[in-house]
Amino acid sequence: EAVRAVMGGRDVLAIMPTGGGKSVVYQVPAIAMGGMAICVSPLISLMKDQVDQLKAIGLRPAFLNSSLTSRQQEIVLQRAAAGAYQIMYVAPERLDNPAFLEMLESVEVPLVAVDEAHCVSSWGHDFRPDYRRIGAFLESLPTRPVVVALTATATEGVQGDIVRMLGLRDPAKVVSGFDRPNIMLTARKMKRAEKLDWAIGYALSRKSDCGIFYCMSRKGVEELCRELRYAGVAAARYHAGLADSERRASQDAFAAGDAKVMVATTAFGMGVNKRDIRYVVNYNMPMSVEDYYQQAGRAGRDGLPSDSVLLWNEGDVNTALFLAEQSDAPDGASDEEIDKAIENRKRLVWRMRDYCKASGCRRDFILSYFGERG
């Protein structure tokens, strides 16, 4: 339905769960339309993963982000101007770069896809000021392309923000549902001192399975990864404080199965298409139900039984509330806008705590949160 709408020249808002086929929604039309489609993506790990997969099936993708040297970026732009690529992945901060805009003058852009489109909304769980550039970028193009906005997590209010902030024109709305029945959802209240022994025991008990441990901090990643390795678990680590080369090596080792366990901050995982992840453990309580749903959804993309285990305590709640109060507002934001964004993030933290404390069916809680009936 979404592909048909795009091919008919219509904007699309696609809300599909992790593993639900969001990439296909823009990749298939991008190849069919000719020219060079652009996909705006927030994470370097996602870009590399997507480009590797597309190259493997004989297509011509590229990415442009800070992991490339200045010379490598120049070469990519030169090749793009010469028509070498079918799809280019770019970070949102690239959209007002003079060299990038100059390259676009010689290229036909029939389609722009905005991945993780909820990042445009200050009401969303993962507001990113750089995403506010996208609307102006679309307006600046000589011919307005078809625009596809993609997300796995958007409540009704955030959906309205996406349509407005990106200037979507009468978009076809495709919602494929939030239920992932093959994932067992579990939450365990656990003291901080108990978590490490539990995590080591859990990883050792599932030594043949691939899994992800998500930590709130880089320090937490370093500590847990070190202790897992010491216990004999083949673990890799991933966070924004590591060199690009180590992040790439960790990602490749996990994708190949050489590292059975990835210990990471939320910098890892968006769009990572590893289908045989059997479990995801949240070592700390996430900042929102949306964050949790995305992370849990990285398990079991092959449809086989998988587990999501959330470890939490009141200390995690306090940490999340503290982080929610840290302002990352864009330049020029008013005090009122900043206060509104902070209050919203705190509201999301409390809803996440409600999920942790829920005594009923966790799947029903998730579906109800996103406006579906269980």
Side-chain angles (χ1 to χ4, degrees):
E1 182 186 351
V3 170
R4 198 177 296 121
V6 175
M7 293 304 298
R10 190 174 175 191
D11 289 353
V12 169
L13 171 58
I15 303 158
M16 307 169 78
T18 301
K22 290 189 295 295
S23 300
V24 172
V25 170
Y26 67 87
Q27 288 173 352
V28 169
I31 304 308
M33 287 172 149
M36 185 182 77
I38 291 172
C39 179
V40 182
S41 172
L43 286 178
I44 289 172
S45 63
L46 179 143
M47 296 187 200
K48 180 185 184 304
D49 200 65
Q50 295 280 16
V51 166
D52 287 349
Q53 289 173 48
L54 292 172
K55 282 182 176 176
I57 57 172
L59 299 175
R60 294 181 283 111
F63 62 75
L64 196 61
N65 60 39
S66 59
S67 73
L68 302 178
T69 65
S70 296
R71 180 59 186 147
Q72 287 172 327
Q73 292 181 31
E74 285 177 24
I75 292 170
V76 168
L77 289 171
Q78 289 167 5
R79 289 177 177 169
Y85 304 124
Q86 294 161 304
I87 301 178
M88 178 174 281
Y89 289 84
V90 299
E93 61 268 20
R94 185 75 43 181
L95 298 179
D96 53 10
N97 177 275
F100 177 70
L101 295 173
E102 182 181 346
M103 176 274 293
L104 290 181
E105 292 175 6
S106 55
V107 177
E108 181 190 356
V109 180
L111 172 67
V112 172
V114 181
D115 206 4
E116 310 301 334
H118 57 267
C119 294
V120 80
S121 171
S122 59
W123 283 104
H125 67 290
D126 193 19
F127 172 54
R128 301 190 182 211
D130 284 334
Y131 262 61
R132 292 286 173 95
R133 308 175 189 218
I134 299 173
F137 167 73
L138 294 170
E139 292 299 320
S140 73
L141 293 171
T143 304
R144 187 188 183 278
V146 179
V147 181
V148 181
L150 305 137
T151 179
T153 49
T155 58
E156 287 288 342
V158 173
Q159 291 173 35
D161 261 6
I162 291 170
V163 172
R164 188 174 69 258
M165 299 299 296
L166 295 179
L168 300 185
R169 300 176 181 175
D170 184 32
K173 185 172 161 183
V174 180
V175 182
S176 63
F178 292 92
D179 195 12
R180 293 286 302 281
N182 63 310
I183 301 177
M184 171 69 82
L185 305 174
T186 308
R188 299 173 66 109
K189 191 172 185 180
M190 189 177 294
K191 293 176 182 176
R192 184 175 182 274
E194 298 171 341
K195 287 185 178 182
L196 183 58
D197 286 343
W198 183 93
I200 292 170
Y202 189 79
L204 287 172
S205 73
R206 308 193 61 164
K207 230 174 175 179
S208 61
D209 291 336
C210 289
I212 301 175
F213 283 84
Y214 278 112
C215 301
M216 277 293 249
S217 68
R218 298 176 188 181
K219 182 180 176 183
V221 169
E222 295 289 341
E223 178 187 88
L224 180 56
C225 185
R226 181 177 64 248
E227 295 298 328
L228 286 172
R229 287 173 175 172
Y230 186 74
V233 177
R237 60 183 180 166
Y238 193 106
H239 59 70
L242 299 174
D244 289 339
S245 57
E246 181 172 352
R247 288 205 300 268
R248 279 196 297 272
S250 291
Q251 194 171 342
D252 290 342
F254 185 61
D258 298 328
K260 286 291 187 181
V261 171
M262 178 66 81
V263 186
T265 60
T266 55
F268 176 79
M270 280 189 178
V272 171
N273 189 23
K274 185 169 173 59
R275 304 189 67 77
D276 62 344
I277 296 170
R278 293 276 70 87
Y279 65 86
V280 172
V281 175
N282 286 91
Y283 198 66
N284 309 103
M285 189 190 83
M287 296 286 291
S288 67
V289 175
E290 288 92 337
D291 280 338
Y292 171 67
Y293 176 80
Q294 281 202 327
Q295 291 157 24
R298 280 156 202 154
R301 292 177 69 158
D302 54 8
L304 297 178
S306 304
D307 291 283
S308 161
V309 184
L310 167 57
L311 310 181
W312 76 285
N313 54 50
E314 294 297 340
D316 288 337
V317 179
N318 292 333
T319 299
L321 288 169
F322 171 77
L323 292 172
E325 291 180 345
Q326 309 312 301
S327 174
D328 58 353
D331 293 338
S334 68
D335 290 344
E336 184 181 355
E337 288 173 322
I338 293 171
D339 289 345
K340 175 182 161 187
I342 288 173
E343 284 306 310
N344 181 59
R345 289 200 293 266
K346 290 165 72 174
R347 177 183 62 82
L348 293 172
V349 169
W350 287 119
R351 288 295 283 146
M352 186 66 231
R353 182 175 180 266
D354 290 343
Y355 172 85
C356 292
K357 297 186 76 170
S359 58
C361 173
R362 298 191 182 281
R363 176 164 284 102
D364 275 351
F365 187 105
I366 296 281
L367 294 178
S368 174
Y369 183 88
F370 290 113
E372 279 189 32
R373 294 189 61 154

